[in-house]
Amino acid sequence: METLQPMYNVLRRHVKQHISLTNEEFAHSASFFVPKKLKKGTFLLEAGEICRHLTFVAKGFLRSYTIDAKGEEHIVQFAFEGWWISDLYSYLTSQVSTYYIDALEDSDLLLIEAGSYDRLCSTIPKYERYFRILLQNNYIASHRRILAAISLTAEEQYRQLLETCPSIEQRVAQRHIASYLGITPEALSRIRHRISRKKS
């Protein structure tokens, strides 16, 4: 258990940002989560599967993406330390997912499946508020991303991404960032060069 403690510490810090739990309550709640280590390049979820878990990233970097008919990837979400990731539609409806989720770095994860989620919220009702806040934040983030896609330039969206995750350029390949922004790697390179010139 000691080797897993850092994973639960990250979760506890995140939970404490939204609800107040006693040491005993958190210790009990930890038993509802399943730890998982995911190697870089390994799938957490593949299209055609049903998403069975909500996943908390204690360490590492994951992405969620689709693949179109031409075989091109379209990244819809990044998730790093302290973030949650899943296909909520698949998780809530038990319909097969259209998304892939894989690790861009070796990652330490905490997973909770639907039955455990229900028991957790029943046992410690405070968690209902925690997950409600997560859903609200997810909706807000999705709304902002849609608004950015239709109203901001690619450079402005790139700057927003850097504000959200300043280390992303050191952790993620340029082609992945370009995919997330919906532009080519060449276009992203020009944006980065333009920003660099403005700073100098």
Side-chain angles (χ1 to χ4, degrees):
M1 181 66 181
E2 286 187 10
T3 58
L4 299 175
Q5 195 59 44
M7 300 170 67
Y8 289 98
N9 288 341
V10 178
L11 175 62
R12 180 162 195 185
R13 287 195 296 271
H14 190 272
V15 170
K16 285 177 65 177
Q17 292 175 12
H18 304 292
I19 60 173
S20 177
L21 293 177
T22 65
N23 292 338
E24 292 75 15
E25 285 174 326
F26 182 78
H28 182 60
S29 69
S31 66
F32 292 91
F33 292 85
V34 176
K36 183 180 182 67
K37 290 184 177 290
L38 199 65
K39 288 289 187 181
K40 180 179 179 179
T42 305
F43 286 103
L44 177 68
L45 176 72
E46 294 189 62
E49 298 177 344
I50 296 174
C51 182
R52 303 289 186 185
H53 302 89
L54 301 177
T55 300
F56 180 77
V57 183
K59 179 183 177 183
F61 213 121
L62 275 66
R63 63 170 175 157
S64 171
Y65 63 98
T66 62
I67 299 178
D68 65 22
K70 296 180 181 179
E72 296 181 0
E73 296 178 357
H74 302 275
I75 296 176
V76 296
Q77 182 187 359
F78 290 118
F80 48 93
E81 295 85 2
W83 285 45
W84 288 83
I85 190 168
S86 69
D87 178 352
L88 273 179
Y89 176 80
S90 177
Y91 178 81
L92 293 172
T93 65
S94 295
Q95 299 296 310
V96 295
S97 179
T98 57
Y99 294 103
Y100 297 85
I101 300 176
D102 66 9
L104 296 173
E105 297 175 352
D106 291 349
S107 300
D108 294 342
L109 313 172
L110 291 169
L111 282 58
I112 185 166
E113 55 91 21
S116 295
Y117 170 90
D118 290 338
R119 289 192 297 275
L120 172 61
C121 292
S122 176
T123 305
I124 307 175
K126 295 176 186 178
Y127 269 98
E128 288 193 352
R129 181 171 187 272
Y130 171 70
F131 284 110
R132 175 172 55 80
I133 292 170
L134 293 184
L135 286 172
Q136 289 173 344
N137 289 344
N138 178 269
Y139 172 80
I140 291 169
S142 298
H143 180 74
R144 285 178 174 172
R145 177 135 195 244
I146 293 170
L147 187 61
I150 62 177
S151 62
L152 300 181
T153 66
E155 180 174 331
E156 289 169 334
Q157 292 180 62
Y158 176 61
R159 289 180 181 275
Q160 276 193 353
L161 180 60
L162 292 181
E163 290 176 5
T164 302
C165 183
S167 66
I168 194 168
E169 289 185 301
Q170 289 73 48
R171 302 177 67 179
V172 175
Q174 182 167 309
R175 69 180 186 279
H176 293 324
I177 297 175
S179 172
Y180 179 81
L181 296 174
I183 60 178
T184 64
E186 292 75 19
L188 176 58
S189 181
R190 289 193 293 271
I191 289 171
R192 294 174 67 182
H193 180 66
R194 196 157 57 239
I195 291 174
S196 177
R197 285 174 55 193
K198 290 178 182 177
K199 290 180 179 178
S200 59

